[in-house]
Amino acid sequence: MRCQAPPPFQKTQAMNVWMPAAAGDPRVDLQEAEAASALGDFRQEADALARTAASAEKIGARGLLARARLLEGRSAYNQGKPEAGVRALNEARQLFQEVGDRAGVASTFNSLGTLLSDQKDVATGIAMYEASLKQSEEIGDRKAMSAALNNMGITFKDMRQFDAALKAHERSLALRREIGERNWTAVSLSNIGVVYFEQDRFSEAEKYYRE
């Protein structure tokens, strides 16, 4: 299972985040888009993201615009529109860089890695995961580090580079245990089991499945 978590708002966006919400506030539309995304309602998500982008551009809230573009890119990927997804994600990355939101940059690199890997551009996909990991390490975001390593491990497994896959998944597992993410720890254990299973190492796979 690949994982993509939306980036947290950074202090550079504080003026957009901590004011009381009002009519036409792009944060409200963004929350609506996130809810629609969780429900798989792509039409409602697209409408809410369009309103978010328009309002954010009007008031100069580039951090919110970046997050809208990030969600737009992920939505395009989920709908099988990879070229639109790459365009939106690259715009999101540039905007996050402009506002100094390194967590947002890392999250966007992670999403690009998933999209490009699934489009068989594996080398670039791995490079995006590595960029996400580097950004996350530099800001001490262990949750984002674990996500990048998890997705890297899946990609290496798909390439049948099993040693690299195990190394990435084991690092992700260690981080998830450190920060107490029980659900994602279970995902990492399962992913390691899959790597062993695909090598016909069934007893080792069973150990991780049972754990």
Side-chain angles (χ1 to χ4, degrees), residues 35-70:
S37 176
L39 294 171
D41 188 338
F42 296 124
R43 179 175 296 180
Q44 183 179 352
E45 180 185 19
D47 289 345
L49 287 175
R51 294 196 304 273
T52 302
S55 298
E57 286 183 311
K58 184 177 180 180
I59 65 175
R62 292 184 298 164
L64 287 170
L65 179 59
R67 191 162 181 185
R69 294 295 185 237
L70 173 59

Side-chain angles (χ1 to χ4, degrees), residues 175-189:
L175 286 165
R176 287 169 170 174
R177 282 176 164 160
E178 283 177 13
I179 59 181
E181 284 194 320
R182 297 185 64 182
N183 290 339
W184 283 113
T185 294
V187 169
S188 287
L189 289 166

Side-chain angles (χ1 to χ4, degrees), residues 3-42:
C3 47
Q4 298 183 16
F9 287 109
Q10 301 296 297
K11 291 182 179 179
T12 52
Q13 301 167 37
M15 63 175 291
N16 301 327
V17 176
W18 302 114
M19 333 184 270
D25 190 318
R27 293 171 301 164
V28 176
D29 293 322
L30 186 62
Q31 289 173 350
E32 180 184 336
E34 290 171 339
S37 176
L39 294 171
D41 188 338
F42 296 124

Side-chain angles (χ1 to χ4, degrees), residues 126 130 149-150 152-157 159-171 195 199:
I126 291 292
E130 289 174 342
L149 287 162
N150 177 85
M152 200 181 302
I154 291 171
T155 300
F156 280 132
K157 185 268 296 180
M159 297 166 65
R160 304 191 69 77
Q161 294 185 16
F162 296 123
D163 288 344
L166 285 172
K167 182 178 179 180
H169 280 312
E170 286 166 356
R171 288 181 64 192
V195 175
Q199 298 177 81

